Amino acid sequence: MSYISLDGVSKQYGAAWAVDRVAMAIEKTEFVSLLGPSGSGKTTLLRIIAGLEKPTNGRVLIGGEDVTDLPPHKRGVAMVFQEFLLFPHRTVRENLAFPLRMLKLPKTEMDERIDWVLGILSLRGLEGRYPNQLSGGQQQRVALGRGLVGRPKALLLDEPLANLDRELRQEMEVEIRKHQTALGIPFIYVTHNQEEALSMSDRIAVVRNGRIEDFAPRAEIYDRPKTAFIAQFVGRSNRFVGVLKREGATAAIDAGAVALATADRPGLKDGAPVAAYVKNEKIRLRTPETLHAVGANALAATVKHVILRGPYAEYVLTWAAGEMIASRPRAEVEFSAGDAVVAHWDPADVDVFPEKEAAA
Amino acid sequence: MRFRPGKIALIATVVVSYLFLYLPIVHIGLASLSRNSSFPYPPHWSFATMSRLLGNSLYQTALGNSLLLGVLVATLSTALAGAATIGLMRHAGRKTTLFLALFIAPLFVAEVLLGISSLIFSGLFLGLQGNLGSAVLANVVHCFSYALLIMATQLYRYDWRLDDAAMVFGATPARTFFEVTLPLIWPGLLGAFIVTFIMAFNNLEISFYLLGATPTLPSVAWGALRYGVKPELYALATCVNLVVLCVLAVMFVLMRTGLATFGHRPERERAAV
Ligand SMILES: Nc1ncnc2c1ncn2[C@@H]1O[C@H](COP(=O)(O)OP(=O)(O)OP(=O)(O)O)[C@@H](O)[C@H]1O
Ligand SMILES: [Mg+2]
């Protein structure tokens, strides 16, 4: 029995379904991300779990108990809001004490818990400040602390790092995951940032138009996208549009200027219009001297410019039918703008989807 | 400093405006504190009229009634308008504007009309004789709309998601109101209370029709007019003005120290220390 279950949860606003028949089962020690574009229904789903929104249909179970009709203050879950929503008339210490006072904990235990949170989130010395006297990063830590301090049954996080700069965000990602492991409670983390989802989660649920497109371990989401939407949304890919030709155990895609080879796709008909995705880092580069044959999964290109990303470089290439990007570790041979190269990739790295879906 | 006609004209305008606003009040103040009360320039200081006012039992009863009327009306209209405003803002929807318009509409009814129609209504349908009770009810109708306007401007800025946060962290709806909502919106409530108090305290047009034989300060002053303006009336006006000024001073100090904003926000948040 999973710890949190959503059973056909839907939420209707007017005529539109913000959340549409969502079913999920989350384990007690799991870190789950809800990843999806803006307006896909992530916040609504989180608010339904918290009890701030009543689902139009479906049930929510926490710890085996049906909480669908329980108000938020009886659910024992906590939330870190995107806008922090710290109580502006309360100091940091009072903000952190709030969940504990509601739990009616004895004073000594309250002090202990607050001290623990101040310690793990390095907030010591800021106890007496009001939220508007804190920097964005400090406010974010207080909001996180307020979520952790009551040792909730689950912690819901709604894009808590969205307002932070990149460096602080990466630091916090590590912190958050550490606290989740230490507490042993499920974290449900909403984000539209794939890097965040990939860096912290055990499993990722990709949300699209209120529906769960796929809910799977993060490596699977990244390496074997189940739909064209996921292929496009997670990771950075090059897209080729063409027609599928099945040849026994393999399939080929005629994409005009280039032919792609891939494993067989039994679900797709011969001659079906398809879109193929190859991740940037799966594209390998050679000089034309070392790889002459421009056949399947290989094409001749010219380096247009090079974007340096520290440990790896992104090569923007022009080829006969447009542009593509290859990212390579800097330890490999480096190319510079104007170089002629041959880009090639493995059949296993080609993800193929029917083109109708890809266009949507 | 260079001669600048624009600046001089500006200062003159400001001075004239303030004279226009405050000269009558200052005049009454001087008149009530001097022996030559009909033309107190220069004033011959004396507390004679003041002490005569204090010795007048009618005026004392009237003051008591006015205070009672003011407090009752302010309490009732602030509570009702507070509930209405919170309801409108918290559950904002397509019909919010309509409800708001209907709540504010009584503002546009002339007070005299409101007085007369309330008199008829109270007599015919509620069976109320003219007394303090019916006057309170009629004044609440009027003050409710003002209180609602004042609070709406303040609560407009309130982030209702703070209530969500409180509830997620275990607060019942009642606890949420007293721990989070009220501490953040009380300046709006206090502002509405003070303004409606002053309005009801000073009201003549509505109260006049509904008070019956109960004297209040404005009605006594109005009655005194018929027998010629007596110096006591000056003293009375001065006292009332003093009370009102004190209340406004309290509001002003609260605003300056940043303790309360009454809907006015110089900066977005409390200043950082
Ligand atoms: N109270 C509401 N009334 C009507 N429609 C709403 C309401 N709340 C959300 N919606 C709609 O539901 C859909 C999902 O909204 P939601 O806030 O859950 O998206 P989201 O995935 O959190 O997006 P973002 O990444 O921008 O925060 C949106 O189309 C939104 O317009
Ligand atoms: Mg959202």
Side-chain angles (χ1 to χ4, degrees), chain B residues 103-111 141-147 149 199:
Chain B
F103 278 143
I104 290 172
L107 278 187
F108 301 101
V109 179
E111 290 182 35
V141 171
H142 187 62
C143 290
F144 170 84
S145 305
Y146 271 101
L149 266 190
M199 281 174 56

Side-chain angles (χ1 to χ4, degrees), chain A residues 37-44 46-47 82-83 158-159 190 192:
Chain A
S38 187
S40 57
K42 308 179 296 291
T43 298
T44 310
L46 216 56
R47 289 174 60 87
Q82 181 174 351
E83 310 80 4
D158 192 358
E159 310 207 22
V190 160
H192 60 245

Side-chain angles (χ1 to χ4, degrees), chain A residues 47 77 83 89 101 132, chain B residues 161 164 168-169 179 270:
Chain A
R47 289 174 60 87
V77 301
E83 310 80 4
H89 59 304
R101 287 200 295 116
N132 65 327
Chain B
R161 289 173 307 181
D164 287 349
V168 164
F169 290 111
E179 293 234 11
R270 195 190 328 226

